Amino acid sequence: QVTFSCYLRRNLWITCVPSVSMTPITGQSRSTQTGGSAAMASGLGEGQRLLSRTKRGWVWNQMFVLEEFSGPDPILVGRLHTDLDVGNKNIKYVLAGEGAGTIFAINELTGDIHAMKRLDREEKAEYTLTAQVINADTDEPLEPPSEFIIKVQDINDNPPQFLQGPYRASVAEMSAVGTSVTTVTATDADDPVYGNSAKLVYSILQGQPYFSVDPNSATIKVALNDMDREMRDEYLVVIQAKDMGGHMGGLSGTTSLTVTLIDINDNPPKFSKNLPLGKMGGKVKANDRDYGDNAKSTYSIIEGDDQGVFEIVTDTQTQEGILKLKKPLDYETKKAYTLKVEATNILPGHSSTAHFKDTATVKIAVDDSDEPPVFSKSMYLLDVNENAPINTVIGTVNARDPDSSKNTVRYFIDRHTDLERQFNINVDDGKITLAKPLDRETDMWHNITVTATEVGNPISRAIVAIRVMDINDNAPEFATEYEAFLCENGKPGQVIQTISAVDKDDPVQGHYFNYRLVPEMLNNPNFTIKNNQDNSISVLAKHDTFRRQKQEMYFLPIIVTDNGHPPMSSTNTLTIRVCGCSKDGIVQSCNVEAYVLPIGLSMGALIAILACIILLLVIVVLFVTLRRHKNEPLIIKDDEDVRENIIRYDDEGGGEEDTEAFDIATLQNPDGINGYLPRKDIKPDLQFMPRAGQHSGPNGVDVDEFINVRLHEADNDPTAPPYDSIQIYGYEGRGSVAGSLSSLETVSSDSDQNFDYLREWGPRFRRLGELYSVGESDRET
């Protein structure tokens, strides 16, 4: 039989079911139930009664209620007991389910269940666990498992919080008492259905007597009449929320609310006093205690300006009335004005449809100020001829002092507008003169600024535009560099070229050009000119016997004269080329060399054909050369050429003075002594005259001189092959990677020489290695 004991903690019962007998594994069962247990069972409700009787025994739902706590000491939740536990040390209680072993622990011997860690209902409100009795030695179950629930009971451990704070709100000034401003709401994480832990009550800690709060709905309301924005426009309200229904011991939280009063038009504009203005451009200001659009006013002049001299406009930024002149003031005519200005609110007042207004008197005094000189014109237009002499008077500017003092005016040129200093001005009378010659073809207009000043340095300015008038100082010339082409088969009278002229000058009546040939060309037998009556001429051919072989180019000088005063003229030369043309008169070629080319082929086609022929010849020559290099040996053995035979001598030479050891004449070509004999292995493309041979005696020939002469002849002989077939070397080579192959200067004996490394140089040195790597018998031989 398993018995659950109940414990009382902090006036809260931990409810449990009555003692219930479990059905043993053997099938026997018994049940004992006391009256107190029966009464408790009747109060637990339907969820905790016995559900059914099975083969495994009684199965029940059990619930423990436990307050959340913050630790750190373990707290007893309940105690399990079975009828099998009668001092038997062979049984053991085990616990499984949510939090078993971590949050909840069971005493294996006594069945006591303890909470080991902090329980927070806001994190988890219920835990489902399973209890069972097993054999301590074999871990076999002695009774079926029993499931029960531990419910965490809420305590007031979370204060109210305003999650959206701090708050801002606004309400119109002069609002009635009870006008709603805004609503603020706090939240409480405690259980809202258990006790009063989450029941909140609101109150105001700061902000009275201006505002109040509903204790249940947290609605902020106006609590004071006639709140004036002009007196105070912002209020800070501190609101408190307290749980436990506001009773003592509850937790609380606060937030702040900033309330701003919205302006209404409840104040008229007011001028501070009558405003005297000493100069134009003055400002008037009507003060309005309202804000925004309610403070905006417009200004108007209602008296004192019968002639419409003034106007007043409103500055939208500063709400000032700015006085402006509509007509100029004259001190000598009227020295003061008295105006009546009215300021009117744009929006009507809050209590009526009428607009608030106020008036002020503005006095304006006109001062007699020192005004700058006034030019007779705002802009002057002057003319001057180009190439006019220096100091020529171009024109005069005039300015006067408008003041009654009539001070003397002085004139100056603003040199920023005359950087090249082309003009001067007389400081006293304003006469403008020329400082440098002007060229209309370079600059046609000159714009300068003249300043006028007086005592006290008030300055005024005027623009002077100077136009440079044209004179005939440029001769006409051809409009472009003409180059005419004349066909050999042309007809007499054929127009070769049409020529026009240009003139940099710009005469008033326009250009008219006269063309004529230079005097020495008047009787020109080849060309003549014809006037086209449109300022152009045509150049005509006089005959049809022009030939490129005879003369390829002609030069025709032509004189062009304008109609200026005085007239200007220039000589221009027309270049005429004689060209070959088709039957239709289309120019095909104008070069003399092209005359010998076949008719009907263009120059581009001929060049392409010639390039192909040259390329083909180059390929053939390269092919032949490569075949000869491949087939012919390096040393040409020819019985007829004694120079190319190997001569062996058995006797030792006697040095440089020994001339009898061998015959030097064998190195000479006997046929070459009598004259030039072309080589048989190369057929020369061009034949040259025979050259004189060397006539030296057989015993008196210097070998170095003989070789140098032959080498020079071979280098300068265009018929020689591209290699030296004589194969004669006057000295041992230097810088070879293989080193010297000669044993003449070695300090070691022949027996010390080892030429096996020649075999490692590759197939080209294999034969050489075999010749030098010989046996002892070969050396002796």
Side-chain angles (χ1 to χ4, degrees):
Q1 176 172 337
V2 179
T3 302
F4 295 91
S5 302
C6 302
Y7 295 89
L8 181 64
R9 181 173 179 269
R10 296 178 64 177
N11 297 327
L12 290 176
W13 281 95
I14 300 176
T15 60
C16 54
V17 298
S19 301
V20 178
S21 61
M22 305 283 297
T23 301
I25 298 177
T26 61
Q28 299 178 357
S29 63
R30 58 190 176 90
S31 175
T32 60
Q33 184 171 344
T34 63
S37 298
M40 186 175 294
S42 63
L44 290 176
E46 220 29 60
Q48 297 176 350
R49 67 183 177 83
L50 297 179
L51 297 178
S52 63
R53 180 185 299 272
T54 65
K55 184 178 180 180
R56 297 173 58 243
W58 290 100
V59 179
W60 69 92
N61 288 338
Q62 176 65 43
M63 179 179 292
F64 288 91
V65 179
L66 178 66
E67 283 186 348
E68 58 180 335
F69 73 103
S70 58
D73 296 332
I75 184 172
L76 180 64
V77 178
R79 175 175 298 168
L80 273 68
H81 187 73
T82 178
D83 291 343
L84 299 177
D85 187 4
V86 289
N88 187 0
K89 304 300 183 180
N90 201 30
I91 67 171
K92 180 172 65 174
Y93 295 93
V94 294
L95 188 67
E98 296 177 336
T102 57
I103 300 177
F104 302 102
I106 188 169
N107 190 312
E108 296 178 350
L109 300 178
T110 63
D112 293 343
I113 301 175
H114 288 83
M116 308 300 295
K117 294 185 178 180
R118 177 181 182 272
L119 296 178
D120 189 355
R121 187 203 64 86
E122 285 72 40
E123 293 183 1
K124 189 171 180 63
E126 290 184 356
Y127 296 88
T128 302
L129 298 168
T130 302
Q132 191 175 20
V133 179
I134 64 175
N135 190 299
D137 297 330
T138 63
D139 290 339
E140 293 181 358
L142 301 179
E143 290 182 353
S146 300
E147 183 180 271
F148 61 96
I149 297 173
I150 297 178
K151 182 176 181 181
V152 181
Q153 181 67 54
D154 182 53
I155 64 174
N156 188 23
D157 59 345
N158 292 281
Q161 292 182 346
F162 293 90
L163 300 180
Q164 305 297 327
Y167 300 88
R168 295 192 68 90
S170 60
V171 65
E173 64 175 331
M174 301 296 176
S175 295
V177 174
T179 303
S180 177
V181 178
T182 187
T183 300
V184 297
T185 304
T187 59
D188 195 317
D190 291 325
D191 191 354
V193 298
Y194 177 77
N196 294 326
S197 298
K199 185 178 181 180
L200 305 181
V201 174
Y202 299 91
S203 61
I204 288 183
L205 300 182
Q206 178 182 336
Q208 296 174 338
Y210 308 104
F211 300 96
S212 63
V213 61
D214 187 281
N216 298 318
S217 65
T219 301
I220 311 299
K221 299 178 181 180
V222 176
L224 186 66
N225 280 320
D226 299 331
M227 296 176 65
D228 191 358
R229 187 202 66 85
E230 288 73 37
M231 298 297 295
R232 183 177 177 182
D233 61 350
E234 193 172 87
Y235 297 84
L236 179 64
V237 181
V238 178
I239 304 164
Q240 181 191 65
K242 191 174 182 180
D243 60 13
M244 299 297 293
H247 294 93
M248 184 179 298
L251 303 178
S252 64
T254 60
T255 188
S256 63
L257 170 66
T258 301
V259 181
T260 302
L261 296 184
I262 301 174
D263 182 63
I264 63 174
N265 189 18
D266 59 340
N267 293 280
K270 291 290 184 179
F271 287 104
S272 59
K273 59 180 180 178
N274 294 336
L275 303 175
L277 296 179
K279 58 181 180 180
M280 289 317 302
K283 302 177 182 179
V284 295
K285 176 70 178 292
N287 297 318
D288 194 323
R289 299 175 62 191
D290 294 325
Y291 177 77
D293 292 341
N294 296 318
K296 292 182 179 180
S297 301
T298 59
Y299 298 88
S300 59
I301 300 174
I302 58 177
E303 291 181 9
D305 188 24
D306 298 336
Q307 298 179 355
V309 178
F310 305 96
E311 67 174 343
I312 187 169
V313 296
T314 303
D315 188 330
T316 58
Q317 299 297 325
T318 62
Q319 289 301 305
E320 296 175 329
I322 302 175
L323 283 169
K324 294 184 178 181
L325 275 177
K326 296 174 63 177
K327 297 179 180 179
L329 296 176
D330 188 0
Y331 175 79
E332 287 73 21
T333 303
K334 192 172 183 179
K335 297 178 175 60
Y337 294 86
T338 300
L339 306 177
K340 190 174 183 179
V341 178
E342 181 181 70
T344 306
N345 272 158
I346 297 176
L347 298 178
H350 73 286
S351 59
S352 65
T353 58
H355 293 266
F356 291 125
K357 299 180 180 180
D358 192 23
T359 59
T361 301
V362 179
K363 295 182 178 180
I364 301 173
V366 180
D367 294 336
D368 186 12
S369 61
D370 189 5
E371 300 178 20
V374 178
F375 280 96
S376 59
K377 299 179 181 178
S378 60
M379 181 176 179
Y380 294 84
L381 177 61
L382 305 178
D383 294 332
V384 60
N385 291 330
E386 63 175 330
N387 296 333
I390 297 176
N391 295 328
T392 298
V393 176
I394 302 174
T396 303
V397 296
N398 181 262
R400 62 176 182 84
D401 184 7
D403 299 323
S404 57
S405 58
K406 304 299 181 183
N407 294 322
T408 302
V409 178
R410 301 175 66 83
Y411 303 92
F412 302 92
I413 293 178
D414 186 351
R415 292 303 177 182
H416 291 91
T417 61
D418 184 26
L419 297 177
E420 298 181 0
R421 295 184 176 270
Q422 294 177 301
F423 307 97
N424 291 325
I425 190 170
N426 190 298
V427 296
D428 297 323
D429 56 15
K431 290 183 178 180
I432 300 175
T433 57
L434 191 63
K436 294 181 179 179
L438 302 178
D439 185 4
R440 191 200 67 86
E441 286 70 39
T442 302
D443 289 309
M444 184 176 179
W445 287 92
H446 297 271
N447 295 321
I448 62 174
T449 300
V450 176
T451 61
T453 182
E454 55 175 297
V455 177
N457 295 325
I459 298 175
S460 59
R461 300 173 181 270
I463 304 298
V464 179
I466 300 175
R467 179 173 55 189
V468 182
M469 306 300 293
D470 182 55
I471 63 173
N472 193 28
D473 59 344
N474 292 279
E477 57 186 12
F478 281 176
T480 184
E481 294 183 2
Y482 294 101
E483 185 176 14
F485 300 94
L486 173 64
C487 294
E488 290 181 319
N489 55 354
K491 299 178 181 180
Q494 178 183 0
V495 176
I496 301 172
Q497 182 69 50
T498 299
I499 296 175
S500 61
V502 293
D503 195 332
K504 294 181 180 179
D505 294 324
D506 189 17
V508 178
Q509 298 179 355
H511 291 291
Y512 179 78
F513 301 116
N514 180 33
Y515 301 87
R516 68 179 186 276
L517 297 176
V518 295
E520 56 270 21
M521 298 293 291
L522 292 177
N523 297 324
N524 188 331
N526 299 316
F527 307 100
T528 185
I529 61 175
K530 182 185 71 173
N531 194 339
N532 296 329
Q533 303 301 323
D534 59 354
N535 271 351
S536 68
I537 60 171
S538 296
V539 180
L540 310 177
K542 286 186 175 182
H543 56 81
D544 58 354
T545 59
F546 296 97
R547 294 293 181 269
R548 281 178 288 174
Q549 299 90 331
K550 181 178 179 181
Q551 186 173 349
E552 179 187 6
M553 189 177 299
Y554 294 88
F555 299 99
L556 185 64
I558 300 175
I559 300 175
V560 185
T561 306
D562 61 17
N563 59 332
H565 299 284
M568 302 289 290
S569 63
S570 65
T571 301
N572 301 264
T573 301
L574 174 66
T575 301
I576 303 174
R577 291 182 179 273
V578 181
C579 305
C581 303
S582 63
K583 294 181 180 180
D584 298 332
I586 299 175
V587 176
Q588 293 182 336
S589 177
C590 297
N591 298 326
V592 177
E593 294 80 359
Y595 184 75
V596 301
L597 298 177
I599 303 299
L601 290 177
S602 64
M603 180 62 67
L606 294 175
I607 292 175
I609 293 173
L610 182 59
C612 292
I613 294 174
I614 293 175
L615 180 61
L616 183 61
L617 290 176
V618 170
I619 293 174
V620 171
V621 171
L622 291 176
F623 179 75
V624 173
T625 303
L626 292 176
R627 285 184 61 85
R628 287 190 176 183
H629 275 285
K630 181 177 180 182
N631 296 332
E632 293 181 0
L634 186 60
I635 301 177
I636 302 176
K637 294 184 179 180
D638 191 349
D639 296 336
E640 297 178 1
D641 193 349
V642 181
R643 295 175 299 173
E644 296 172 352
N645 293 335
I646 298 176
I647 309 300
R648 294 180 180 274
Y649 298 92
D650 295 333
D651 56 336
E652 183 178 358
E656 295 180 358
E657 297 179 357
D658 186 0
T659 59
E660 297 179 357
F662 61 90
D663 188 3
I664 194 63
T666 58
L667 295 177
Q668 297 178 349
N669 187 354
D671 295 330
I673 298 176
N674 298 326
Y676 172 75
L677 182 62
R679 293 182 59 88
K680 296 179 180 181
D681 56 339
I682 298 296
K683 182 179 180 180
D685 295 334
L686 300 174
Q687 299 295 333
F688 290 86
M689 294 299 295
R691 64 177 182 271
Q694 294 285 23
H695 299 282
S696 300
N699 297 326
V701 176
D702 186 355
V703 177
D704 290 339
E705 182 180 357
F706 172 78
I707 293 176
N708 291 332
V709 170
R710 291 302 186 191
L711 181 60
H712 178 74
E713 292 176 354
D715 291 339
N716 294 278
D717 186 359
T719 64
Y723 51 83
D724 295 332
S725 60
I726 190 170
Q727 301 299 321
I728 296 176
Y729 301 92
Y731 59 92
E732 183 180 357
R734 298 185 181 93
S736 174
V737 177
S740 176
L741 300 178
S742 174
S743 60
L744 297 179
E745 298 179 358
T746 180
V747 296
S748 62
S749 63
D750 293 341
S751 61
D752 297 333
Q753 296 293 324
N754 183 6
F755 299 98
D756 292 338
Y757 61 86
L758 295 176
R759 300 177 184 273
E760 300 176 358
W761 290 1
R764 295 185 179 180
F765 296 91
R766 184 176 301 163
R767 180 60 180 165
L768 186 61
E770 293 175 355
L771 293 176
Y772 279 85
S773 300
V774 297
E776 187 66 27
S777 59
D778 294 335
R779 290 195 194 90
E780 294 176 356
T781 304

